[in-house]
């Protein structure tokens, strides 16, 4: 039976469509002048987009990028908006600038919100990439199925699909395109073998290629496999794919090591979903020489509250010390959010003021973590990543996680 469209959506969605069509018409639909690679998924979209962008530019194919973190062609500009795919008017304006810079390709990171709200109307998709689909944004989509199907919209308009075969939703995406390639570790036509996880990257064999990244984490096996598939579809050589993926040395806000001379490891990452935690924390626990600290919060303001307890439970399972703090509380009482997360951490055996700490002010929580860490420990600062502001009940405040971490480290080390 066909799902009934909620009354609110029946009014709002046509408005979004008309705005997007208008924005495209005013700019002459600039997306049609580019070969567009759309990347969607719950986690890994940004890193995958950066890998594809870097690989194509390194191979001499001038490529633009529009992502959560940055946009541009060769020299990227910061993405300051608190969203991944910007509104249609700004989207088309930036696409035109990318066209004017002489790009042939565009790697466009696309969210379920953007796809539902028709922000990319008039942008033809040559290749659609799916990284994974897990629990996220149910505050907006209401059910997992609606969330998954929002992402499928990208594949319904694409000429070719690149699909994570290890993801439970893979079969739905496969049915949406006439031609696709699948990738994975356990399943898929393109597979990673002989995986070697290192502190500064991953290595694996893929057919006759030896793929190496400079970004750590098992999830980057999947991200780079998606890039491999895009490279193969576009006719890049084995050497171009290998060299292009290895050339990406970092992505702002993603697995960034911060060093001020301290005797423990400090890493900043954007992970903010149960699935991201489940992929990241086991690997970090294995790699940690000492204790593993995890500092994070969860967004408020009508954002999905159902992920909070599971995130707390996963963190409590793998981390030795859990520190809960604000993330973007907006108009939701901050301590209410922290208590919801803490309930999950307590399920995993964490005890208040022993290995579970609640500190609402994020800079104070960061300082606490740095003061508690000892030689050989690993401290993960999760959830904010590259974002340049933090949203509280009284509005938006300038904030950058790396700056606060460095400030705390210098204070602990007695530096000015």
């Amino acid at each position: 039976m066909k799902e009934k469209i909620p009354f609110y959506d029946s009014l709002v969605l046509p408005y979004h469509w008309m705005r997007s069509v208008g924005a495209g018409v005013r700019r002459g639909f600039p997306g049609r002048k580019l070969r567009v690679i759309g990347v969607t998924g719950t986690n890994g979209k940004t890193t995958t987009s950066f890998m594809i962008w870097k690989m194509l530019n390194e191979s001499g194919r001038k490529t633009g990028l529009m992502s959560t973190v940055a946009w541009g062609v060769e020299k990227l500009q910061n993405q300051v908006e608190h969203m991944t795919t910007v509104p249609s008017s700004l989207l088309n304006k930036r696409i035109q600038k990318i066209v004017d810079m002489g790009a042939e390709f565009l790697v466009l990171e696309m969210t379920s919100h953007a796809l539902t709200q028709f922000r990319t109307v008039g942008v033809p998709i040559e290749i659609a990439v799916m990284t994974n689909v897990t629990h996220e944004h149910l505050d907006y989509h209401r059910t997992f199925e609606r969330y998954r199907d929002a992402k499928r919209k990208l594949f319904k308009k694409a000429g070719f699909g690149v699909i994570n075969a290890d993801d439970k939703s893979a079969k739905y995406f496969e049915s949406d395109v006439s031609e696709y390639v699948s990738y994975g570790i356990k399943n898929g036509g393109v597979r990673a073998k002989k995986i070697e996880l290192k502190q500064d990257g991953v290595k694996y064999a893929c057919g006759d290629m030896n793929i190496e990244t400079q970004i750590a984490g098992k999830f980057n096996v999947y991200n780079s496999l998606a890039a491999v598939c895009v490279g193969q579809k576009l006719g890049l050589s084995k050497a171009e794919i290998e060299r292009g993926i290895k050339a990406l040395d970092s992505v702002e806000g993603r697995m960034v090591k911060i060093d001020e001379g301290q005797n423990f490891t400090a890493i900043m990452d954007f992970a903010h979903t149960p699935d991201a935690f489940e992929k990241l924390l086991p690997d970090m626990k294995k790699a940690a020489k000492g204790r593993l600290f995890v500092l994070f919060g969860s967004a408020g303001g009508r954002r999905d509250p159902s992920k909070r307890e599971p995130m707390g439970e996963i963190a409590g399972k793998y981390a030795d010390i859990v520190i809960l703090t604000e993330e973007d509380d907006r108009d939701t009482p901050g301590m209410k959010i922290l208590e919801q997360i803490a309930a999950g951490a307590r399920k995993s055996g964490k005890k208040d003021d022993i290995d579970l700490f609640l500190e609402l002010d994020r800079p104070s929580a960061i300082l606490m973590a740095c003061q508690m860490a000892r030689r050989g420990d690993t401290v993960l600062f999760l959830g904010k990543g590259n974002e340049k502001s933090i949203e509280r009940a009284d509005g938006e405040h300038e904030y950058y996680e790396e700056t606060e971490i460095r400030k705390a480290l210098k204070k602990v080390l007695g530096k000015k």
Side-chain angles (χ1 to χ4, degrees), residues 256-260 262 266-268 401-402 405-406 409:
V256 177
K257 284 189 178 181
I258 300 172
D259 188 2
E260 287 290 341
Q262 76 274 10
I267 297 175
M268 174 179 76
E401 188 93 311
E402 183 174 348
I405 296 169
R406 290 192 183 280
L409 289 171

Side-chain angles (χ1 to χ4, degrees), residues 96-331:
Q96 183 59 59
K97 287 186 176 181
I98 286 170
V99 170
D100 293 343
M101 292 178 202
E104 177 188 0
F105 292 91
L106 169 63
V107 183
L108 179 60
E109 189 178 344
M110 301 171 75
T111 62
S112 57
H113 288 74
L115 289 162
T116 300
Q117 295 172 4
F118 305 104
R119 291 181 208 165
T120 58
V121 163
V123 180
I125 305 299
E126 181 172 334
I127 300 175
V129 179
M130 182 271 264
T131 59
N132 50 65
V133 184
T134 61
H135 185 123
E136 178 71 319
H137 298 309
L138 301 193
D139 53 297
Y140 180 81
H141 297 287
R142 292 183 283 278
T143 68
F144 174 79
E145 289 73 24
R146 283 169 62 87
Y147 170 59
R148 178 198 66 208
D149 291 347
K151 292 190 173 294
R152 290 173 63 192
K153 292 175 186 292
L154 174 63
F155 282 71
K156 291 177 187 294
K157 60 187 288 187
F160 184 83
V162 173
I163 299 165
N164 180 353
D166 288 346
D167 189 272
K168 292 177 182 177
S169 295
K171 62 181 180 181
Y172 296 98
F173 290 82
E174 290 169 359
S175 69
D176 293 328
V177 284
S178 57
E179 187 182 359
Y180 69 88
V181 65
S182 60
Y183 66 90
I185 295 174
K186 298 177 182 177
N187 306 292
V190 178
R191 293 196 200 182
K193 303 285 187 182
K194 301 177 183 177
I195 298 169
E196 182 183 343
L197 303 178
K198 306 184 296 176
Q199 268 202 323
D200 57 352
V202 298
K203 291 176 70 174
Y204 61 89
C206 179
D208 63 348
M209 290 183 285
N210 294 305
I211 302 299
E212 185 173 358
T213 78
Q214 295 191 65
I215 309 173
K218 189 176 181 180
F219 44 87
N220 280 310
V221 173
Y222 286 98
N223 296 338
S224 56
L225 275 172
V228 167
C229 292
V230 171
Q232 289 178 327
K233 175 60 179 175
L234 293 176
L236 272 66
S237 69
K238 168 190 166 184
E240 285 174 330
I241 293 171
E242 290 175 337
R243 184 175 64 248
I245 290 174
K246 189 174 181 180
L248 183 66
D249 57 6
S250 67
V251 177
E252 185 184 3
R254 271 65 176 174
M255 294 302 289
V256 177
K257 284 189 178 181
I258 300 172
D259 188 2
E260 287 290 341
Q262 76 274 10
N263 58 11
F264 59 89
T265 301
I267 297 175
M268 174 179 76
D269 190 67
F270 190 57
H272 62 285
T273 67
D275 180 67
F277 275 32
E278 196 63 71
K279 286 182 169 70
L280 173 65
L281 299 187
D283 288 346
M284 297 309 299
K285 180 64 176 175
K286 290 176 186 174
K289 296 175 183 176
R291 297 173 299 171
L292 178 64
F293 286 64
V294 179
L295 180 150
F296 68 101
S298 182
R302 295 168 299 282
R303 299 312 194 270
D304 183 10
S306 64
K307 68 177 185 177
R308 294 170 189 160
E309 189 171 316
M311 286 167 64
E313 191 168 357
I314 296 165
K317 178 181 177 181
Y318 294 106
D320 297 288
I321 305 290
V322 175
I323 300 176
L324 304 180
T325 189
E326 63 179 323
E327 186 180 298
D328 281 305
D329 295 344
R330 299 181 177 90
D331 57 357

Side-chain angles (χ1 to χ4, degrees), residues 32-149:
R32 295 174 179 173
K33 301 169 186 174
L34 296 164
R35 300 176 67 182
V36 183
I37 300 151
V39 180
T40 196
T42 307
N43 301 302
K45 295 188 298 296
T46 300
T47 302
T48 300
S49 296
F50 265 80
M51 285 180 173
I52 297 169
W53 166 78
K54 189 70 171 179
M55 176 184 67
L56 290 176
N57 274 313
E58 287 288 313
S59 71
R61 295 157 175 85
K62 202 166 187 179
T63 303
L65 173 69
M66 293 181 70
S67 77
T68 305
V69 173
W71 73 278
V73 181
E74 290 156 323
K75 186 177 181 181
L76 300 179
Q77 299 182 46
N78 287 334
Q79 159 85 306
V80 297
E81 292 78 14
H82 247 245
M83 59 179 67
T84 295
T85 314
V86 295
S88 54
S89 58
L90 183 56
L91 180 94
N92 279 277
K93 181 180 179 181
R94 288 182 177 172
I95 290 177
Q96 183 59 59
K97 287 186 176 181
I98 286 170
V99 170
D100 293 343
M101 292 178 202
E104 177 188 0
F105 292 91
L106 169 63
V107 183
L108 179 60
E109 189 178 344
M110 301 171 75
T111 62
S112 57
H113 288 74
L115 289 162
T116 300
Q117 295 172 4
F118 305 104
R119 291 181 208 165
T120 58
V121 163
V123 180
I125 305 299
E126 181 172 334
I127 300 175
V129 179
M130 182 271 264
T131 59
N132 50 65
V133 184
T134 61
H135 185 123
E136 178 71 319
H137 298 309
L138 301 193
D139 53 297
Y140 180 81
H141 297 287
R142 292 183 283 278
T143 68
F144 174 79
E145 289 73 24
R146 283 169 62 87
Y147 170 59
R148 178 198 66 208
D149 291 347

Side-chain angles (χ1 to χ4, degrees), residues 5-15 116 140 142 146:
I5 299 174
F7 177 69
Y8 176 79
D9 286 353
S10 70
L11 294 177
V12 174
L13 295 185
Y15 167 73
T116 300
Y140 180 81
R142 292 183 283 278
R146 283 169 62 87

